Amino acid sequence: MDILYRRRRATAGEVMADLSGQPTDSTVRTQLRVLEQKGHVRHEEQGLRYVYLPEVPRRTARKSALKHLVATFFDGSAEQTVAALLGGEGARLTDEELERISALVAHARQEKGR
């Protein structure tokens, strides 16, 4: 999805070329087909080739992916997710980033109180 958002449109070959590692052509095409079946991607025919385009806004896809990640790896717990971020990689956060996170927490508390 990231490649499609960045390029705005791409063939399976272009997606494959942008991926790290050495994915097979069939793997990339299968993944694009699955994403299309789920409504995340659509394709247009250009001659004999399919050109794929994102069908959902990046923000929507991001929320969906994050929800899946939290459910899968953190048993749906926002607390466990934040603890994991702050625990390992958290040591790399700048003071400014920590302040912005604190502001987000304060805003969430205000919203909850309404």
Side-chain angles (χ1 to χ4, degrees):
M1 287 299 300
D2 185 51
I3 293 167
L4 291 177
Y5 285 122
R6 199 173 50 245
R7 285 181 167 260
R8 295 196 174 104
R9 54 189 304 119
T11 65
E14 291 168 333
V15 170
M16 194 165 69
D18 283 5
L19 287 170
S20 61
Q22 296 182 359
T24 65
D25 183 66
S26 64
T27 299
V28 172
R29 290 181 190 282
T30 298
Q31 188 62 49
L32 287 168
R33 190 170 41 255
V34 168
L35 288 169
E36 189 168 19
Q37 289 169 350
K38 291 183 175 187
H40 298 290
V41 167
R42 68 181 171 89
H43 75 269
E44 296 174 350
E45 293 183 36
Q46 272 188 356
L48 298 176
R49 302 183 325 172
Y50 280 5
V51 177
Y52 294 90
L53 303 92
E55 185 66 7
V56 296
R58 188 177 206 141
R59 181 181 177 126
T60 303
R62 184 181 296 146
K63 278 184 166 182
S64 175
L66 183 59
K67 186 175 180 180
H68 178 72
L69 177 110
V70 171
T72 302
F73 295 102
F74 300 100
D75 298 321
S77 168
E79 179 184 357
Q80 289 180 25
T81 305
V82 171
L85 287 170
L86 295 176
E89 297 297 313
R92 297 183 187 168
L93 293 174
T94 66
D95 287 340
E96 292 80 18
E97 289 170 322
L98 289 170
E99 285 300 320
R100 287 193 297 270
I101 291 169
S102 292
L104 290 170
V105 170
H107 180 73
R109 281 192 176 123
Q110 287 176 345
E111 290 295 314
K112 184 179 179 186
R114 289 184 184 185

